[in-house]
């Protein structure tokens, strides 16, 4: 193992300065972190959906499924409030667009922490981490966040310290796995990318000094998606004919190899004891030929079992802390990276489990396999009606192309395509799917099922065994249900307490 550095750069008044490691060293920080973390499986909860589940419903779904850790991408009030006193640990996120402001002024960081961490901690939210940015060093960002990410991290950690929260809440940066690589494809030769090498050492050093974890997003599916020659069985955890030999170690899956490339990079640069969180990992269920529920279950169950074994990876044996991506499908996510981007959920948009997923919670005496996914309760839907192409419209009608383009430009048509869930639809079916997606996105407004006179509303479900023509959640009804729940709580719990107190 590479020796640890004798000193490290830390923020100070007027800039940076080098200070010696504390006498108790980073090893003690790692032990402290391991003692306080609930290592295991959590889930990312994204909210880029046109018809999201009410946060209280989603939290009950999490608890019923045995998921006790959640990672948020923003400090949205409704999800955070719903997580109060839930027993679920929280990593709350800061979007990349906020990094510049937080980097420029420590007062801004203090205001952010006061509003989005301190207040919620006081209200019973178990905040454990602040995620400063999300994959800020991706090539797609054109170096936009290179100069602001570390200062923002430093200011947020300083703000946590000023608020008296630094012992329980740690700041980290969720980074894409492209920040490190191996010139030989062997994990043991891992190192940080040359263009950000010094920056990565400063970040790793700051994380180590503050007892914070290094957070990395690892996506075997993307490896397969980007490379048609990638051996598909190497993406999974049930054995591979494409194993990699690295000295005395053998890697039979790409997750272990990728993870240990990071471990090697950290060791090589003197941070071999820095704890690691896998911030995102998962498999989509639609939008690509390799994205379906069968492969998603194979991957996610294999990963959960791999983590539950407690064996870790060849270079980092022991527990692994990880968050599956993601909780539910998000139909308003950007599809720039691929049509699969709206289909990462282990639950559909309405909280229906897509497949069985066991061992998210430790087994009990009554269950040898731990809990499985439990769907959302009392979900209210819009009326059972769909928008489809009129049967008598000719496929040669010149209005069809622009109408489909308009619908799919404003709604989610990513289930249409080669070897997707709706690949077996005929031409009329494809057009109807596009029309219906737009119609449902707009809450079944009659004006959303016109399309120059080409469309008609039907009460006959056009879905088939693999292709589901969605009916969206009735947001108004769900909101009313939550209001009723609050009113009942006030009537039967709060008012009697007030009466006793005043009496």
């Amino acid at each position: 193992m590479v020796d640890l550095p004798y000193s490290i750069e830390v923020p100070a008044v007027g800039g940076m300065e080098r200070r010696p490691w504390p006498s108790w060293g980073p090893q003690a920080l790692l032990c402290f972190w391991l003692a306080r973390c609930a290592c295991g499986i959590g889930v990312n909860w994204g909210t880029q959906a046109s018809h999201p589940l009410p946060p209280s419903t989603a939290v009950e779904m999490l608890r019923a499924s045995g998921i006790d850790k959640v990672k948020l991408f923003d400090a949205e009030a409704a999800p955070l409030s719903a997580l109060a006193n839930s027993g679920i640990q929280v990593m709350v996120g800061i979007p990349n667009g906020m990094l510049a402001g937080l980097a420029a002024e420590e007062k801004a960081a203090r205001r952010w922490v006061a509003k989005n961490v301190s207040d919620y901690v006081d209200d019973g939210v178990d905040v454990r981490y602040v995620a400063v940015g999300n994959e800020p060093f991706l090539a797609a960002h054109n170096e936009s966040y290179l100069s602001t990410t570390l200062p923002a991290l430093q200011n947020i950690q300083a703000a946590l310290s000023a608020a008296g929260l630094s012992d329980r809440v740690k700041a980290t940066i969720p980074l894409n796995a492209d920040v490190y690589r191996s010139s030989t494809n062997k994990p043991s030769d891992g190192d940080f990318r040359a263009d950000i090498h010094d920056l990565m050492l400063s970040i790793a050093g700051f994380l180590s000094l503050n007892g914070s974890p290094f957070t990395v997003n690892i996506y075997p599916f993307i490896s397969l998606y980007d490379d048609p020659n990638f051996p598909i069985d190497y993406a999974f955890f049930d054995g591979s004919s494409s194993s990699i030999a690295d000295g005395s170690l053998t890697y039979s899956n790409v997750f272990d190899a990728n993870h240990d490339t990071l471990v090697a990079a950290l060791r090589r640069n003197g941070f071999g004891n820095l704890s690691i969180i896998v911030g995102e990992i998962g498999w989509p269920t639609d939008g690509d030929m390799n994205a379906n529920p069968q492969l998603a279950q194979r991957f996610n169950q294999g990963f959960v079992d791999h983590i539950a074994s407690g064996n870790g990876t060849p270079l980092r044996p022991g527990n692994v802390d990880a968050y599956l991506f993601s909780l539910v499908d998000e139909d308003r996510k950007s599809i720039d990276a691929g049509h699969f981007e709206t289909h990462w959920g282990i639950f559909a948009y309405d909280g229906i489990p897509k497949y069985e997923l066991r061992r998210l919670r430790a087994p009990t005496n009554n269950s040898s396999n731990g809990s499985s996914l439990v769907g959302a309760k009392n979900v209210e839907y819009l009326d059972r009606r769909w928008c489809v192409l009129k049967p008598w419209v000719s496929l040669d009608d010149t209005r069809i192309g622009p109408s489909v383009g308009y619908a799919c430009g404003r709604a989610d048509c990513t289930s249409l395509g080669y070897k997707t869930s709706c690949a077996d639809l005929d031409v009329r079916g494809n057009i109807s799917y596009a029309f219906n997606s737009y119609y449902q996105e707009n809450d079944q407004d009659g004006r959303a099922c016109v399309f120059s006179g080409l469309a008609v509303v039907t009460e006959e479900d056009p879905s088939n065994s693999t292709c589901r023509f969605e009916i969206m959640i009735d947001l108004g009804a769900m909101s009313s249900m939550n209001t009723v729940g609050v009113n009942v709580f006030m009537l039967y719990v709060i008012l009697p307490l007030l009466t006793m107190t005043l009496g």
Side-chain angles (χ1 to χ4, degrees):
M1 183 179 296
V2 176
D3 290 336
L4 291 161
Y6 293 105
S7 62
I8 189 170
E9 273 198 334
V10 297
V13 177
M16 303 288 292
E17 67 179 37
R18 296 201 69 86
R19 294 181 187 172
W21 279 103
S23 59
W24 30 269
Q27 291 89 343
L29 285 171
L30 174 62
C31 293
F32 170 79
W33 181 85
L34 288 173
R36 70 182 296 278
C37 86
C39 296
I41 301 292
V43 68
N44 287 266
W45 179 4
T47 57
Q48 297 183 68
S50 63
H51 292 70
L53 288 169
S56 58
T57 301
V59 169
E60 285 306 309
M61 187 171 72
L62 287 165
R63 296 180 64 187
S65 299
I67 300 170
D68 59 6
K69 299 189 306 179
V70 69
K71 178 169 166 278
L72 306 176
F73 292 91
D74 202 346
E76 296 181 66
L80 281 168
S81 297
L83 287 162
N85 303 308
S86 65
I88 297 173
Q89 298 178 11
V90 180
M91 180 186 293
V92 60
I94 297 175
N96 290 337
M98 295 184 65
L99 296 179
L102 295 172
E105 185 183 6
E106 189 174 322
K107 287 182 179 179
R110 292 193 181 200
R111 289 193 296 269
W112 190 93
V113 166
K115 177 182 178 181
N116 300 299
V117 181
S118 298
D119 286 355
Y120 288 107
V121 168
D122 291 342
D123 290 341
V125 181
D126 188 7
V127 180
R128 296 297 183 97
Y129 302 103
V130 175
V132 182
N134 186 51
E135 300 185 337
F137 305 146
L138 277 177
H141 295 319
N142 297 315
E143 302 183 353
S144 299
Y145 309 111
L146 289 185
S147 63
T148 56
T149 301
L150 177 56
L153 173 71
Q154 293 165 339
N155 284 344
I156 288 293
Q157 188 63 59
L160 292 169
S161 297
L165 294 170
S166 58
D167 286 342
R168 64 173 293 172
V169 183
K170 299 296 182 181
T172 184
I173 304 171
L175 295 161
N176 188 274
D178 72 348
V179 300
Y180 53 86
R181 56 194 52 177
S182 169
S183 59
T184 64
N185 289 325
K186 294 182 178 180
S188 61
D189 290 322
D191 200 357
F192 293 114
R193 238 169 57 200
D195 61 312
I196 56 171
H197 194 273
D198 291 345
L199 176 58
M200 289 307 305
L201 295 193
S202 295
I203 289 172
F206 186 82
L207 295 173
S208 290
L209 187 66
N210 288 279
S212 299
F214 189 110
T215 303
V216 61
N217 301 338
I218 299 176
Y219 280 106
F221 172 81
I222 301 299
S223 298
L224 180 62
Y225 179 79
D226 286 342
D227 182 1
N229 297 315
F230 188 88
I232 187 169
D233 59 341
Y234 190 54
F236 298 94
F237 298 89
D238 41 16
S240 172
S241 59
S242 305
S243 298
I244 291 178
D246 188 0
S248 62
L249 303 177
T250 300
Y251 290 88
S252 60
N253 67 81
V254 69
F255 167 76
D256 282 357
N258 190 309
H259 181 277
D260 281 2
T261 303
L262 170 59
V263 174
L266 291 169
R267 285 185 177 185
R268 185 178 306 279
N269 292 285
F271 300 104
N273 291 295
L274 183 58
S275 55
I276 296 172
I277 287 178
V278 179
E280 297 178 22
I281 186 168
W283 200 280
T285 56
D286 208 351
D288 181 70
M289 61 183 293
N290 291 310
N292 57 61
Q294 295 74 33
L295 290 181
Q297 181 185 37
R298 179 184 173 189
F299 178 84
N300 282 331
Q301 189 64 67
F303 179 72
V304 169
D305 292 344
H306 188 53
I307 299 306
S309 73
N311 293 328
T313 62
L315 286 184
R316 185 66 73 87
N319 292 323
V320 175
D321 200 15
Y323 295 80
L324 291 178
F325 190 85
S326 63
L327 179 63
V328 292
D329 285 349
E330 300 171 76
D331 61 351
R332 286 188 173 169
K333 275 199 75 182
S334 168
I335 58 172
D336 289 347
H339 285 184
F340 55 83
E341 284 289 359
T342 60
H343 302 283
W344 289 99
I346 56 178
F347 294 90
Y349 76 99
D350 53 358
I352 295 177
K354 295 183 183 178
Y355 43 81
E356 188 176 66
L357 190 59
R358 304 179 311 278
R359 299 183 75 175
L360 292 174
R361 177 167 47 203
T364 64
N365 293 333
N366 298 322
S367 172
S368 61
N369 291 321
S371 62
S372 189
L373 298 179
V374 177
K377 305 297 184 184
N378 302 316
V379 177
E380 295 286 336
Y381 295 89
L382 297 172
D383 294 338
R384 287 183 57 81
R385 56 183 184 227
W386 298 263
C387 179
V388 298
L389 178 69
K390 289 178 177 177
W392 53 86
V393 172
S394 170
L395 293 179
D396 294 327
D397 195 306
T398 58
R399 295 171 294 174
I400 289 178
S403 295
V404 170
Y406 182 87
C408 290
R410 292 161 177 80
D412 184 11
C413 295
T414 55
S415 293
L416 301 175
Y418 177 65
K419 291 192 175 180
T420 58
S421 65
C422 296
D424 292 338
L425 294 178
D426 60 15
V427 176
R428 289 186 174 276
N430 275 265
I431 297 166
S432 293
Y433 188 95
F435 286 177
N436 185 66
S437 294
Y438 181 77
Y439 177 62
Q440 303 295 341
E441 170 96 8
N442 288 277
D443 297 316
Q444 298 183 350
D445 188 324
R447 294 168 296 181
C449 188
V450 178
F451 295 106
S452 302
L454 299 173
V456 64
V457 174
T458 179
E459 294 183 358
E460 182 178 347
D461 188 353
S463 303
N464 62 33
S465 60
T466 63
C467 180
R468 180 183 175 189
F469 280 61
E470 305 286 7
I471 296 176
M472 287 299 177
I473 294 171
D474 188 337
L475 296 179
M478 294 294 285
S479 176
S480 298
M481 288 174 57
N482 282 343
T483 302
V484 169
V486 171
N487 290 338
V488 169
F489 180 76
M490 288 291 293
L491 179 64
Y492 290 100
V493 179
I494 299 300
L495 289 180
L497 288 174
L498 288 173
T499 302
M500 292 173 59
T501 302
L502 295 174

